């Protein structure tokens, strides 16, 4: 290592407010937490990291970052938060600001990009220790095996329109025709982790330097979120990929055996809006094919019911329409849920509860898995074990029913 003295290691997380592909993506809920929370958690849970700072130009991002335990001692200047801004000036600004205002001088800086939230435990510590063990190295970069080999890639000659190989390989006249196994292995850099000596950034004016060590990452963790499709795939990995990963909070999987699903009504079976006529009659909007999902759920041997605080007759009308048992007018849901489970002699760990608002939160720890529609309240999204892709009243109930039915069918 560099010395016997414990080094000062700064985790710096860049998160600007502007995002074209996915607006506000850094604080958009991802598997129950703001996307940036996963990078903050990776830093805070690392043994080698001594400080966690988020560099952002956005006050809302800064507030969310502080909520999850990061520092935001400054707001990044707007000119360093443009679409074409590179990492180097952002990191130089942060290091110079901390040096000038706090006399703070870390030896190593760890970059944790929010767009790669799926990280294996211990990744940050492994990168820092690898860098410390090699004084000659300027940085460590996380890589995964590349999905495509560049020796089989081509350019098109702009003058004649002919294909030309992108790379040549000494001793192999036509590498693009060679078996993949005979070509040199190649790697793709990910956004999971970069560990960089501070002097590389400030003195060599580089985010990597000349001597870069690889830290190979299990390719199953390969996530780089740039598009909505990337987002959906990454959330699927969190919920169903079976990966052990750093998380801001502990998530419980869906029980292997589900005996009962309990649905809230407003905001789950409806879109949480209400229409009121001149005489005070209320009307709600529901998703028509929820009934098909609920009926399939029951045919699969899984019980279901609605537990609602609402007293309006619309609850009864809708539940009777789709053949769903209901309990309404419940002021305090948690005691009612306990009583229900006791009366039915159900194992709480085989029960799923779906809710969208804060009055559902006391029920979440009483069951085996808590589910929320995509547009649930922020506190609910943070507490839920599974967040659906559909909104309440727009297919969230059907989505959960279909998921549980498919699981039951796969189990035989």
């Amino acid at each position: 290592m560099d010395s016997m003295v414990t080094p000062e290691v700064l985790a710096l997380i860049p998160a600007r407010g502007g995002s074209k592909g996915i607006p506000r993506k850094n604080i958009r809920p991802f598997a129950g937490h703001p996307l940036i929370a996963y990078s903050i958690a990776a830093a805070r849970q690392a043994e080698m990291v001594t400080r966690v700072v988020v560099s952002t130009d956005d006050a809302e991002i800064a507030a969310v970052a502080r909520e999850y335990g990061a520092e935001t001692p400054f707001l990044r200047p707007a000119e360093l938060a443009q679409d074409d801004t590179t990492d180097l000036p952002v990191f130089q600004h942060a290091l110079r600001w901390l040096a000038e205002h706090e006399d703070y001088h870390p030896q190593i800086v760890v970059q944790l990009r929010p767009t790669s939230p799926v990280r294996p435990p211990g990744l940050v510590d492994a990168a820092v220790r690898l860098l410390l063990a090699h004084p000659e190295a300027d940085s460590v970069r996380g890589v995964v095996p590349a999905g495509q080999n560049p020796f089989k890639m081509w350019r098109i000659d702009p003058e004649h329109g002919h294909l030309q190989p992108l790379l040549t390989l000494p001793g192999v006249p036509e590498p693009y025709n060679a078996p993949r196994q005979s070509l040199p292995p190649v790697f793709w850099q990910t956004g999971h982790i970069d560990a960089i000596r501070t002097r590389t950034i400030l003195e060599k004016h580089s985010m990597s330097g000349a001597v870069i060590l690889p830290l190979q990452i299990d390719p199953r963790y390969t996530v780089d979120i740039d598009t909505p499709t990337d987002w959906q795939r990454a959330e699927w990995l969190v919920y169903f990929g079976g990966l052990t990963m750093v998380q801001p909070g502990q998530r419980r999987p869906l029980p292997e055996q589900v005996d009962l699903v309990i649905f809230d009504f407003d905001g789950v079976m409806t879109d949480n809006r209400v229409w009121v006529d001149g005489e005070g009659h209320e009307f709600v909007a529901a998703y028509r094919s929820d009934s098909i999902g609920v009926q399939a759920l029951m045919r699969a041997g899984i019980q279901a019911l609605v537990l609602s605080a609402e007293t309006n007759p619309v609850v009864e009308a809708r539940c009777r329409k789709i053949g769903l048992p209901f309990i309404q007018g419940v002021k305090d849901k948690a005691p009612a849920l306990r009583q229900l489970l006791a009366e039915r002699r159900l194992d709480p760990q085989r029960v799923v509860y779906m809710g969208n608002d804060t009055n559902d939160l006391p029920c979440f720890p009483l069951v085996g898995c808590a589910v929320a529609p995509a547009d649930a309240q922020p506190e609910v999204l943070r507490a839920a074990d599974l967040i659906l892709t559909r909104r309440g009243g727009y297919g969230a109930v059907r989505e959960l029913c279909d998921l549980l039915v498919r699981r039951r069918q796969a189990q035989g």
Side-chain angles (χ1 to χ4, degrees):
M1 293 191 178
D2 290 336
S3 71
M4 297 302 293
V5 178
T6 301
E8 186 68 24
V9 178
L10 169 66
L12 188 59
I13 301 168
R16 69 187 183 95
S19 175
K20 299 298 188 293
I22 305 176
R24 309 298 291 165
K25 68 180 177 184
N26 285 311
I27 53 175
R28 175 178 170 178
F30 173 83
H33 295 275
L35 183 65
I36 194 174
Y38 291 83
S39 293
I40 295 172
R44 285 173 53 83
Q45 294 174 27
E47 295 178 4
M48 301 298 293
V49 170
T50 52
R51 189 174 183 184
V52 184
V53 170
V54 167
S55 170
T56 182
D57 62 313
D58 188 281
E60 186 180 9
I61 292 177
V64 172
R66 291 191 297 270
E67 179 183 347
Y68 280 87
E71 298 178 52
T72 55
F74 55 81
L75 284 181
R76 191 196 311 176
E79 61 269 21
L80 296 181
Q82 304 303 309
D83 291 342
D84 58 353
T85 301
T86 60
D87 291 331
L88 181 60
V90 171
F91 276 65
Q92 288 177 332
H93 165 265
L95 290 169
R96 288 167 179 163
W97 192 98
L98 293 169
E100 178 182 350
H101 292 83
E102 300 182 7
D103 195 26
Y104 177 73
H105 306 275
Q107 286 79 53
I108 293 174
V109 182
V110 172
Q111 176 170 209
L112 297 168
R113 295 178 179 85
T115 49
S116 294
V118 184
R119 295 181 177 91
L123 180 69
V124 175
D125 287 327
V128 173
R129 289 188 173 113
L130 180 60
L131 184 58
L132 291 172
H134 292 271
E136 77 284 3
D138 293 306
S139 66
V140 169
R141 176 158 293 187
V143 295
V144 296
Q148 302 293 331
N149 197 299
F151 288 103
K152 290 184 176 291
M153 294 182 181
W154 300 83
R155 294 177 293 134
I156 297 178
D157 177 5
E159 183 177 352
H160 302 99
H162 300 164
L163 284 176
Q164 294 181 337
L166 180 65
L167 299 174
T168 59
L169 185 61
V172 181
E174 296 182 343
Y176 43 84
N177 288 328
R180 177 180 55 83
Q181 294 82 355
S182 66
L183 298 174
V186 292
F187 298 88
W188 178 263
Q189 65 181 33
T190 72
H192 290 88
I193 182 74
D194 293 308
I196 314 142
R197 296 192 194 279
T198 304
R199 64 173 181 263
T200 300
I201 298 172
L202 295 178
E203 299 174 13
K204 298 185 178 182
H205 305 288
S206 172
M207 287 296 294
S208 56
V211 181
I212 311 167
L213 297 180
L215 180 63
Q216 294 193 40
I217 302 170
D218 186 330
R220 294 179 301 161
Y221 290 86
T222 304
V223 168
D224 189 9
I225 298 176
D226 286 322
T227 67
T229 300
D230 296 335
W231 192 285
Q232 292 175 356
R233 174 183 175 274
E235 281 196 315
W236 186 93
L237 276 177
V238 174
Y239 288 135
F240 308 114
L243 297 178
T244 302
M245 60 172 283
V246 175
Q247 296 213 38
Q250 294 300 316
R251 302 275 171 198
R252 300 170 296 176
L254 283 167
E256 287 297 320
Q257 178 70 32
V258 176
D259 296 331
L260 173 67
V261 181
I262 301 173
F263 299 102
D264 180 29
F265 188 77
D266 287 328
V268 171
M269 307 203 77
T270 76
D271 64 3
N272 219 20
R273 294 182 297 168
V274 61
W275 288 264
V276 184
D277 66 14
E279 297 180 354
H281 299 126
E282 295 185 355
F283 305 88
V284 300
Y287 194 73
R288 185 177 293 277
S289 70
D290 281 351
S291 58
I292 298 175
V294 169
Q295 291 162 13
L297 190 73
M298 293 180 172
R299 287 196 301 270
I302 301 174
Q303 302 175 58
L305 65 82
V306 163
L307 182 64
S308 174
E310 180 57 61
T311 59
N312 193 286
V314 71
V315 177
E316 178 179 355
R318 179 58 179 161
C319 288
R320 291 195 185 281
K321 173 73 174 179
I322 63 178
L324 186 59
F326 64 93
I327 303 172
Q328 69 177 118
V330 179
K331 293 183 179 180
D332 192 345
K333 291 186 176 182
L337 176 57
R338 289 192 188 95
Q339 181 179 347
L340 173 69
L341 297 179
E343 290 174 351
R344 297 196 178 195
R345 297 181 179 180
L346 291 171
D347 180 356
Q349 296 306 310
R350 294 167 67 162
V351 175
V352 173
Y353 185 100
M354 181 176 174
N356 77 302
D357 216 328
T358 53
N359 64 340
D360 295 305
L361 289 174
C363 295
F364 280 13
L366 303 181
V367 298
C369 185
V371 181
D375 59 342
Q377 291 297 308
E379 301 94 325
V380 176
L381 293 174
R382 286 195 288 270
D385 300 301
L386 172 63
I387 298 173
L388 301 170
T389 63
R390 307 296 295 273
R391 294 177 290 156
Y394 287 90
V397 169
R398 178 66 185 270
E399 180 181 351
L400 178 59
C401 290
D402 289 349
L403 173 61
L404 293 174
V405 170
R406 286 196 300 268
R407 281 168 50 92
R408 179 61 62 89
Q409 292 171 342
Q411 292 167 349

